[in-house]
Amino acid sequence: MADLAALTLREARDLIAARELSATELTELTFRRIAETEPVVHAYVCLDEERAMARAAEIDQGGATGSLLGVPFGVKDILETGGLATEGGSRLLAGNVPERDAETVRRLRSAGAICIGKHVTHEFACGQDDLPTRNPFDLARYPGGSSAGGGVSVQVGSSLLALGTDAGGSVRKPACVTATVGMKATHGRVSGAGTIPQASSFSLDHVGTFTRTVEDAAIALNVLAGYDPRDPRSIDVAVPSYTDGVGDGISGLRIGVAPATFRADDMQPEVVSLFEAALSTLEAAGAELATVELPSFEHALAALFTIFPAEVSPTHRRWLSERPGEYHERTRRLLLLGTLIPSEHVSQASRVRALLRDEAARVFANARLDALVTPTLPCVPPRFDEMVPGDFGSLIPFTGPWNLTGQPALSVPCGLTPDGLPVGLQVVGRPFDEATVFRIGAAYEAEACVESRAPFPSPS
Amino acid sequence: MVHRMAKPKSSFDASDVVRLGELAGISLAAEDAEALAGALAGHCDMVAPLFEFRLEDAPVATIYDPHWRG
């Protein structure tokens, strides 16, 4: 019998294709794993067991096709799922059951993947409220947000693939602190249609994935990428196969580092140490490192923290007036701030954003970079009792800038500290060049062979 | 020619925020107004460096939509 705690998406898919494992067996295993882990980690909001088992039986009867046949996946609870509650982590959407799937959910189902349930999110993905989700590496530490349930679920094996959204790091950050692989493709590459509007900062938000390996992320993007006329942000450009070259290695690739922008002084020493080791690993794998500067990026978070609330707040006007008491207090205040920010702030933030985008393009071109790397987070997952409620700015200085530029970015496990806490390596690519990002991530993963499994936690 | 914009106001009290809310069409509870006065001041301090950029250095993207088919 397969061990879900160790299985990858590709292995599961291949076992099912070879009829060494049935979709029904895998789905049953998944729900058994959920029963073991949920009392401790609380990654799911709700489950869709009856429909999942029915779909698995259909697949086992034969006739279904697709590259993800039988793969169990979970969905952040701000992406719509037809016939299954989508509540956005908020009392304001209690009982909301959409009629149709978000485009990304539809694509996964069409490829044969089986939706298991919905993953925990911060209320409207705003990062303000306290979550029940716990980090399997240390239950007293931050599990990531806002797509908290996705990273935790993939880490403990209660799903093999999870969909999240990322407007400042909300896929890469939980991936980093749970030692999973988090990927957001270029803005416009993956449809955002079916993200509940109250949780979407439309110019910053990217639908992304959690997987256990870089290859699994490439397999998922093969299904998810592509033009969608339902989403006005979607861009009609050719989609390559992301798996074809993923194992080609990185000999001769030029990888940028920007130590004056992403400063060691701003990182915990354990992060610096593991990041420097990662750079040595990339060099040993044949990459050439190049030091570059991105001086305008010091203003990235000010721009992001202006644009994000300004974009999200307008969809809440009516509820803020009529049902203010149903929000978590900190979510309500963030959204109210979005209604009060002067328009000149938003205008100037948008101009600075354009400057950052042009600076990144110029630096990548002039230095002939194939990608740039940073730590994903400057710190290990903080203890809950060390965190300032609602303040996630200190956690996203390395991820947020790439939501402003819209470039593809991947977080891959970069090892554990001596205390057993995960650190992530972020690989940022050129627009629409996710294939190179995957190549670098996969080469690092293969060369470094870092530990990325959490000891399954016992209830505290 | 260098254009510099004035540094935004960075001191608010709750009554300022209540008035801003009214202008925005939203009635604010007193405790929200109190909290937002600090948040708004913090926001203004945070964005102040953005106003040091010269506007001509920050390009404005075209409004032309390449997907528009007319």
Side-chain angles (χ1 to χ4, degrees):
Chain A
M1 185 61 79
D3 176 10
L4 255 189
L7 207 59
T8 68
L9 180 159
R10 183 184 60 76
E11 290 166 348
R13 182 195 68 175
D14 292 351
L15 285 170
I16 288 173
R19 297 193 171 274
E20 293 175 30
L21 178 70
S22 72
T24 298
E25 286 170 327
L26 181 57
T27 309
E28 283 173 350
L29 275 174
T30 302
F31 282 106
R32 204 173 305 153
R33 186 69 179 157
I34 288 170
E36 289 169 359
T37 55
E38 274 303 291
V40 179
V41 298
H42 309 290
Y44 281 89
V45 183
C46 66
L47 300 173
D48 200 12
E49 186 165 0
E50 194 174 318
R51 287 201 305 173
M53 292 307 303
R55 179 65 181 139
E58 279 175 21
I59 290 170
D60 288 336
Q61 283 164 13
T65 58
S67 60
L68 298 174
L69 272 187
V71 169
F73 74 99
V75 181
K76 183 177 184 178
D77 198 29
I78 67 164
L79 292 168
E80 293 182 335
T81 41
L84 181 64
T86 302
E87 298 182 338
S90 179
R91 284 185 290 170
L92 285 143
L93 281 176
N96 174 55
V97 180
E99 289 183 4
R100 64 192 291 189
D101 286 332
E103 175 63 11
T104 42
V105 175
R106 188 196 69 75
R107 286 183 184 227
L108 291 182
R109 288 197 213 260
S110 295
I114 297 175
C115 179
I116 297 297
K118 304 301 286 285
H119 284 148
V120 171
T121 173
H122 284 290
E123 185 176 30
F124 298 122
C126 285
Q128 297 298 304
D129 51 321
D130 303 319
L131 299 179
T133 308
R134 291 293 176 263
N135 191 326
F137 282 92
D138 182 341
L139 301 179
R141 289 180 185 269
Y142 180 62
S146 59
S147 313
V152 169
S153 171
V154 168
Q155 171 54 245
V156 301
S158 62
S159 62
L160 294 180
L161 168 65
L163 289 176
T165 59
D166 185 320
S170 286
V171 166
R172 290 159 288 157
K173 179 159 45 96
C176 173
V177 300
T178 59
T180 53
V181 173
M183 175 68 181
K184 79 164 189 74
T186 310
H187 193 255
R189 179 64 107 180
V190 173
S191 174
T195 308
I196 57 174
Q198 296 89 351
S200 180
S201 172
F202 54 86
S203 78
L204 296 169
D205 218 15
H206 303 62
V207 179
T209 56
F210 297 92
T211 53
R212 289 180 154 183
T213 67
V214 174
E215 182 189 30
D216 285 356
I219 291 170
L221 193 59
N222 278 344
V223 172
L224 295 169
Y227 179 60
D228 174 19
R230 279 176 67 195
D231 182 356
R233 298 161 295 186
S234 183
I235 298 178
D236 192 1
V237 291
V239 178
S241 165
Y242 296 109
T243 41
D244 278 355
V246 72
D248 284 355
I250 55 174
S251 181
L253 294 190
R254 276 175 66 82
I255 298 177
V257 288
T261 305
F262 307 106
R263 290 184 290 264
D265 288 353
D266 298 332
M267 304 175 205
Q268 287 179 342
E270 306 95 305
V271 175
V272 174
S273 171
L274 286 168
F275 180 61
E276 287 176 349
L279 296 181
S280 299
T281 301
L282 292 169
E283 280 191 302
E288 182 185 349
L289 300 183
T291 299
V292 297
E293 294 186 7
L294 293 158
S296 300
F297 274 54
E298 68 174 295
H299 302 294
L301 288 194
L304 188 130
F305 286 137
T306 304
I307 294 168
F308 178 83
E311 286 190 351
V312 176
S313 289
T315 59
H316 289 269
R317 279 191 71 82
R318 190 166 156 198
W319 285 346
L320 285 171
S321 292
E322 297 176 1
R323 302 168 65 186
E326 294 177 55
Y327 289 94
H328 186 281
E329 180 183 85
R330 291 195 296 269
T331 309
R332 181 177 70 245
R333 288 177 181 167
L334 177 73
L335 294 168
L336 285 168
L337 182 65
T339 69
L340 301 177
I341 291 172
S343 57
E344 64 175 8
H345 292 198
V346 183
S347 171
Q348 192 70 357
S350 298
R351 285 170 173 269
V352 169
R353 176 187 197 168
L355 198 69
L356 301 183
R357 187 193 58 208
D358 287 2
E359 186 171 283
R362 194 168 57 248
V363 165
F364 268 68
N366 290 348
R368 295 177 291 109
L369 298 185
D370 294 293
L372 182 142
V373 292
T374 75
T376 307
L377 261 69
C379 57
V380 299
R383 291 180 56 90
F384 287 118
D385 58 11
E386 295 169 343
M387 298 180 74
V388 177
D391 173 23
F392 55 92
S394 59
L395 298 171
I396 64 168
F398 302 163
T399 54
W402 315 110
N403 294 81
L404 291 164
T405 67
Q407 290 168 259
L410 172 86
S411 179
V412 59
C414 182
L416 304 180
T417 67
D419 292 334
L421 298 172
V423 170
L425 174 70
Q426 178 176 234
V427 183
V428 181
R430 295 175 298 216
F432 300 102
D433 189 16
E434 291 84 3
T436 299
V437 171
F438 285 137
R439 260 177 80 185
I440 294 168
Y444 172 75
E445 193 175 55
E447 187 83 12
C449 292
V450 299
E451 177 57 54
S452 60
R453 290 287 169 267
F456 182 69
S458 303
S460 56
Chain B
M1 180 179 174
V2 175
H3 301 278
R4 289 189 187 278
M5 301 179 74
K7 184 179 175 181
K9 176 176 176 171
S10 61
S11 174
F12 298 87
D13 60 30
S15 61
D16 291 330
V17 174
V18 168
R19 278 196 296 277
L20 281 172
E22 286 169 353
L23 288 170
I26 291 175
S27 176
L28 294 171
E31 59 270 27
D32 280 344
E34 192 72 43
L36 284 164
L40 198 53
H43 179 82
C44 288
D45 288 342
M46 178 187 72
V47 300
L50 301 185
F51 287 80
E52 295 299 316
F53 278 93
R54 299 185 310 170
L55 296 185
E56 59 268 42
D57 287 344
V60 178
T62 176
I63 61 166
Y64 172 67
D65 174 359
H67 298 305
W68 182 57
R69 298 288 183 266

